[in-house]
């Protein structure tokens, strides 16, 4: 089964590039099948990792950045893939 973990944070105004660099430097205890990093307006950064694991498996996740870098706590979501119709 494929599971996707989504991690999204919003940087303090003007610090989006710093948050993006911080997220890209974070290493996980295990390598995911795939990892993608995105940015969006309002200095937001999104990281999605894909894993070959059960939905409720314990998986490594990116940590919370320093509180001075972000405007709020990180948002996290977990999704599982579904069979194609």
């Amino acid at each position: 089964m494929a599971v996707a973990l989504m991690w999204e944070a919003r940087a303090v105004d003007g610090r989006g590039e710093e948050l993006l660099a911080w997220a890209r430097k974070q290493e996980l205890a295990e390598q995911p099948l795939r990892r993608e990093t995105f940015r969006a307006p309002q200095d937001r950064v999104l990281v999605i990792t894909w894993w070959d694991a059960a939905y409720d498996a314990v998986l490594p996740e990116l940590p919370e950045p320093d509180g001075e870098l972000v405007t709020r706590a990180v948002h996290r979501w977990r999704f599982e893939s579904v069979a194609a119709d």
Side-chain angles (χ1 to χ4, degrees):
M1 174 183 301
V3 175
L5 302 184
M6 295 179 64
W7 177 102
E8 187 264 342
R10 184 172 177 190
V12 171
D13 286 341
R15 296 184 71 184
E17 288 299 320
E18 187 177 345
L19 178 60
L20 178 61
W22 179 91
R24 293 174 115 180
K25 287 182 197 173
Q26 300 308 301
E27 293 188 24
L28 297 170
E30 298 174 42
Q31 284 294 107
L33 296 173
R34 183 170 154 195
R35 176 176 172 165
E36 286 190 71
T37 304
F38 303 85
R39 66 173 149 203
Q42 299 177 324
D43 293 319
R44 290 179 293 142
V45 174
L46 171 68
V47 178
I48 304 173
T49 56
W50 283 264
W51 304 87
D52 183 16
Y55 182 82
D56 57 353
V58 176
L59 298 168
E61 296 191 46
L62 273 68
E64 293 276 334
D66 178 18
E68 295 179 7
L69 182 59
V70 294
T71 60
R72 57 166 168 73
V74 168
H75 291 176
R76 299 171 193 273
W77 300 277
R78 184 175 286 224
F79 297 89
E80 64 184 337
S81 62
V82 295
D85 292 337

